[in-house]
Amino acid sequence: MKTMAMLLVLSFLMASGVFRVGAATYYVAANGTNPLPPYADWSTAATNIQDAANLAVSGDTIWVTNGVYQYGGASFNGSNRVYLAQGVLLQSLNGPAYTTIKGYWDPVTTNANDALRCVYLSPFATVSGFTLTNGATQSSEGQGGGAFLQPNATVTNCVIVGNAAEDQGGGCDSYKQGIPLVVNCVIKNNFAPTGSGVSECVVHNSLVAGNGTTNSGSPVYFSTLYNCTISGNSSQGLGAAQGSTLVNSIIYGNTNGNYPDCYQCLLTNCCTTLGPGSSFPNNSFSNAPDFVNASAGDYHLQTGSPCVDAGNNLYVTNATDLDGNPRIVGAAVDMGCYENQNTNEVLFVSVSGTNATPPYASWATAATNIQDAIAAAPAGGLVIVGSGVYKNESAIVYGWTNRVALTNGVTLLGINGPQTTVIVGSVYGVFGSQMRCAYVGSNSMLSGFTLASGTAENSGDPIEDESGGGAWCESSGVISNCVVGGTNYVNGSDSNDGSTAYVAGGGVYGGTIYNSTLVNNTAPSGGGAAKANLINCLVTNNASSGSKAFGGVDLCTASNCAIVKNAGIGAEQSTLYDCLISNNFSGAELSALYNCTITRNQGGGVLQCTNYGCIISGNTNGSGGGAFEGVLYDCVISNNTAISTGGGVFQSAVYDCVIAGNKASAFGGGGTLSALYNCTVAGNSAMAGGGINGGTAYDCIIYDNSVSSSNPAVTNWLSGASLVDCDTTPLPSGAGNITNDPAFVNLATIDYHLQSDSPCINSGDNLYVSLTNDLDGNPRISGGRVDMGAFEYQNPPSILSYAWAQEYGLPTDGSADYADSDGIGMPNWEKAIAGLNPTNAASVLAMSPMQPTNNASGIVVTWQSVTNVAYDLQQSTNLPAFYTIQSNLLGQAGTTSFTDTSATNAGPYFYRVGVE
């Protein structure tokens, strides 16, 4: 069991120097605006480091704030971006993520005479908290591209990356005298003929990775390393470390030509590989270190790694590891630069073990079956399982048998992953062996396994017994990095190792599933998973055994998942974020989808779903190839096909979407019987109604669609469609419609943004705007009035409707907005709202004279009007207060009248009319 341990820190890490009385402090800020020597505060800070360094002497400190420092320099044994005199401390304010010293590579030869090393440190000087990058040495001084250290100089808490040396020490190099220290550093992706990472330095608590030598030299050359990790480096010959002394370190997983990781090294408590005939001295070994994910550059140790607690505390030199966590956790320090922080009790399982002895506290005494170790584990314990096939144990939960049951809040970890560690539920060909693979109880986790051939009970409680063939999880149970199902992992002639449930969740029922694959499982509902939360998972080739065909996931929440190639519906009654739903029989039904891609589903893309920011493309259905009876916001619906009608959408509500390139064999290539708001419908095709068939459209562009019919009048829309404030042909009867070419940016490349002179700019009606942003995420209304189509032109110079201005020959550069073109005392922008003719003084919004009446039915109010412009009428009996008596009165040609049935007495009555 790992517990916190006391730590003795060796004193030789303390850098000593000669300090004068009254040591000075200097300040450097890359974006400073008032650099004044002696740079004594932030307001007068130097803008490059060398200006301050030129003033500093032993004992002085130079503070540097955020920025990239790539100017200035000094010559000393070659050219350097920064040269520090003896005993000077150069300290960043916020660390290497924010503060960079950048050298210079010659663009042709790298190490030419104009190259600059990042930092040169005189004796007892210190650099702390920087990224040192792009440094290179000149041919006359070929050592230490990132940093060169004189005796007793120190580089600490730095990232030394992407540097090159002509001779040796691509990352850092030193003179051998004294103790040149490199502490808590990441040294990666540097280059040199030898010592590409580090040469002739003493290194503590550091990661050396990804460095490359350009001949037979080694990435680590004649150095001394304590608690370091050296991995992922490459050389053409002499190993990752040559002629070096290594203590409590990992030197593993490097590419070294024909040589092992270590060549002519002295080792104490290390994990590495040695050449033929070599032995492992001083408690060293060659077992794989079990990094978390070396291919992704994660060199932390898995719990259960042989490097955990395998170091020697006598050589510990730091109180914390490279992450800043406690350096010793457990009985002994771990090997490498990262300390595993697990403090829970650990038990071990090995199917090939020969000395199973409780409490199974080591590999030597490991249990031979998983359930024995789980039973011995305390709540919160960790059970580590070695490679093998586990099929000779069982545990009953909720009346049904499971091969493994996590009932006490433990973590069960397959140390070598699902490729080699398998839990088999029902053993092929063995009578009476039908059982679920795993039950994952509250606060338990199962990680790193293949769960194969599980079976739920075919009677009993529909949820507890008949669901979850591969695994059944309580709500706080977790499955991580597993394969649930698979093909031919264990069962020989049985080619499908998927699991089966008789109600729901063929693969998994319940819990949270991370980074896992659910494959070849079957259930009537949720062949892959049901009632689960899936994150970064692949759900594929699952099937439904029921009439509703819910083959993928049912009643699930999924994030960043791929739900592909499932029989039946990919996702049913689920909520999905950033998922791919592809090549299922149909995509999703009765679900909410956010930023998902739904493509190549043969029974339709989405059915009765609410969709936000989705791409729905390449799907097929009888009607509504892309979306059937759904709601869509900010989506792209493209290249879908309907065998009958509604290639893109059918009976749906669609907001701020592009509907393009869809096809219908009969009617409505873009959509049928749908309500469209601020949509662009273009490039669709059908027999008739290439754009839309029936339905309604507001503030839309329905243009450049095609039909196989010879009647051009049915190209963009079919009769029965109701269009308001749209750009289309032929001209519909609704208010505010135009037939102008919408002036897309590039129709050939399907770029449906508007050009600066598009008549669709400012030509919609704000009344129909539902969203605050357009399809790009930009403000939906820019310029005071919404544009037609899915994309809002940002910052138009004019607030006029461009279509209206262009109709009457007015400029759209803003110069005519407040002008009174016909002299009636009304600015043009108000005339545009009222739909008036700005070149005709007789075109006004005016009320006809009122006549007294004794008509018991009320007063008839009449005003001069424009067809289909919406007006509201207000009344007052006590000026100046007015109130609306009728709104949304559609104007008629010439004049419009309304009878005020409330005006039945002597009054008085006052009226005014306005445009909505």
Side-chain angles (χ1 to χ4, degrees), residues 184 204-208 225-230 246-251 268-271 285 289 291 299-301 305-312 316-318 320-323 326-327 333-340:
N184 288 341
H204 302 264
N205 247 46
S206 295
L207 172 65
V208 183
L225 298 95
Y226 297 86
N227 272 108
C228 290
T229 299
I230 305 166
L246 300 110
V247 180
N248 293 344
S249 294
I250 301 171
I251 319 98
T268 300
N269 290 80
C270 289
C271 172
F285 54 78
F291 294 128
Y299 297 106
H300 292 79
L301 299 177
S305 162
C307 299
V308 171
D309 291 348
N312 188 326
V316 172
T317 59
N318 285 69
T320 58
D321 69 359
L322 185 56
D323 282 336
R327 179 63 272 189
V333 67
D334 297 350
M335 296 175 177
C337 61
Y338 300 111
E339 187 82 2
N340 184 280

Side-chain angles (χ1 to χ4, degrees), residues 28-375:
V28 183
N31 297 320
T33 58
N34 186 36
L36 293 175
Y39 316 118
D41 55 41
W42 289 117
S43 66
T44 60
T47 55
N48 73 73
I49 295 172
Q50 193 59 47
D51 286 349
N54 289 337
L55 303 178
V57 298
S58 184
D60 291 348
T61 299
I62 303 170
W63 281 99
V64 182
T65 192
N66 302 1
V68 177
Y69 293 86
Q70 54 185 331
Y71 302 105
S75 294
F76 189 91
N77 287 358
S79 291
N80 312 280
R81 182 67 69 199
V82 175
Y83 164 76
L84 295 180
Q86 178 170 327
V88 173
L89 169 61
L90 179 65
Q91 175 73 58
S92 78
L93 194 63
N94 294 310
Y98 302 96
T99 323
T100 298
I101 297 173
K102 187 175 182 180
Y104 180 74
W105 286 22
D106 182 89
V108 178
T109 61
T110 304
N111 299 102
N113 290 332
D114 57 350
L116 292 175
R117 175 190 292 119
C118 292
V119 181
Y120 188 102
L121 293 86
S122 297
F124 299 102
T126 299
V127 172
S128 179
F130 290 85
T131 291
L132 308 179
T133 188
N134 207 60
T137 60
Q138 298 180 1
S139 56
S140 60
E141 176 63 24
Q143 298 172 324
F148 188 88
L149 291 75
Q150 290 268 12
N152 300 300
T154 301
V155 175
T156 181
N157 299 309
C158 287
V159 175
I160 306 171
V161 57
N163 303 285
E166 175 77 8
D167 183 10
Q168 65 188 49
C172 51
D173 196 4
S174 76
Y175 291 129
K176 290 184 179 180
Q177 299 93 337
I179 305 176
L181 294 176
V182 179
V183 183
N184 288 341
C185 289
V186 175
I187 306 166
K188 64 180 182 179
N189 300 336
N190 303 285
F191 301 91
T194 192
S196 55
V198 58
S199 173
E200 297 182 342
C201 290
V202 179
V203 188
H204 302 264
N205 247 46
S206 295
L207 172 65
V208 183
N211 302 283
T213 58
T214 54
N215 61 16
S216 60
S218 299
V220 175
Y221 181 73
F222 283 91
S223 294
T224 300
L225 298 95
Y226 297 86
N227 272 108
C228 290
T229 299
I230 305 166
S231 188
N233 304 282
S234 63
S235 69
Q236 299 178 32
L238 298 178
Q242 176 185 356
S244 296
T245 298
L246 300 110
V247 180
N248 293 344
S249 294
I250 301 171
I251 319 98
Y252 210 97
N254 303 280
T255 302
N256 312 307
N258 295 321
Y259 286 81
D261 283 286
C262 273
Y263 179 77
Q264 296 179 340
C265 292
L266 297 176
L267 303 173
T268 300
N269 290 80
C270 289
C271 172
T272 187
T273 57
L274 295 177
S278 300
S279 61
F280 285 93
N282 304 320
N283 299 311
S284 297
F285 54 78
S286 61
N287 304 64
D290 289 333
F291 294 128
V292 169
N293 192 342
S295 63
D298 187 345
Y299 297 106
H300 292 79
L301 299 177
Q302 295 187 56
T303 300
S305 162
C307 299
V308 171
D309 291 348
N312 188 326
N313 291 357
L314 293 177
Y315 300 100
V316 172
T317 59
N318 285 69
T320 58
D321 69 359
L322 185 56
D323 282 336
N325 294 319
R327 179 63 272 189
I328 299 178
V329 179
V333 67
D334 297 350
M335 296 175 177
C337 61
Y338 300 111
E339 187 82 2
N340 184 280
Q341 300 295 305
N342 178 64
T343 58
N344 294 322
E345 184 170 343
V346 180
L347 295 84
F348 295 85
V349 181
S350 172
V351 74
S352 59
T354 58
N355 184 32
T357 306
Y360 316 117
S362 68
W363 288 114
T365 60
T368 55
N369 74 68
I370 295 170
Q371 201 61 42
D372 286 349
I374 291 174

Side-chain angles (χ1 to χ4, degrees), residues 523-525 544-551 554 567-569 572-573 585-586 589-590:
S525 174
S544 170
S545 56
S547 59
K548 291 190 176 181
F550 303 155
D554 186 26
I569 300 167
E572 166 77 12
Q573 299 184 82
F585 174 73
S586 61
E589 180 177 315
L590 295 169

Side-chain angles (χ1 to χ4, degrees), residues 719-745:
S719 59
S722 175
L723 288 79
V724 177
D725 292 288
C726 291
D727 184 8
T728 188
T729 60
L731 183 67
S733 59
N737 293 310
I738 61 175
T739 60
N740 310 55
D741 187 312
F744 294 130
V745 166

